[in-house]
Amino acid sequence: QVQLVESGGGLVQPGGSLRLSCAGSGFSLRLYAVGWFRQAPGKERESISCISAGDDNLRYADFVNGRFTTGRDNSATTVYLQMNRLKPEDTAIYYCVLGTCVVEMVDSWGQGTQVTVSS
């Protein structure tokens, strides 16, 4: 499975926002489905969102509850995850994966980007 590069993580206060970005190494993500996932300390990895290939259909986990938005940037070469109204429980390592939005279908994980929500 081709690994992608995540960026944009950091430390943010509760209620704040972050925008994560996901890029291919030397190729465009335009034609691929991309899933965002996260793993909080001591917890299993979970799916956050999915943008489908072709029709760019969007799906979100229930816990997102309208706070996060995923999409392709204007050039469609990268995929973003805009996170608003962040909560301490959103603290996790965030990953993007090419071609699947199902945790069990992921063969290998990239390094991810750390998001810490704390005052």
Side-chain angles (χ1 to χ4, degrees), residues 57-105:
N57 183 49
L58 304 178
R59 301 193 303 275
Y60 299 94
D62 290 343
F63 67 80
V64 168
N65 199 23
R67 300 181 299 129
F68 299 175
T69 304
T70 192
R72 303 187 191 277
D73 68 7
N74 289 337
S75 66
T77 58
T78 62
V79 172
Y80 64 84
L81 180 68
Q82 176 67 43
M83 304 188 295
N84 300 323
R85 305 197 306 275
L86 284 161
K87 305 174 182 180
E89 52 263 44
D90 294 317
T91 295
I93 300 175
Y94 284 68
Y95 305 87
C96 59
V97 176
L98 186 73
T100 184
C101 300
V102 179
V103 172
E104 292 78 10
M105 297 296 291

Side-chain angles (χ1 to χ4, degrees), residues 10-18 86 115-119:
L11 173 64
V12 63
Q13 292 186 344
S17 298
L18 280 176
L86 284 161
V115 171
T116 302
V117 184
S118 175
S119 54

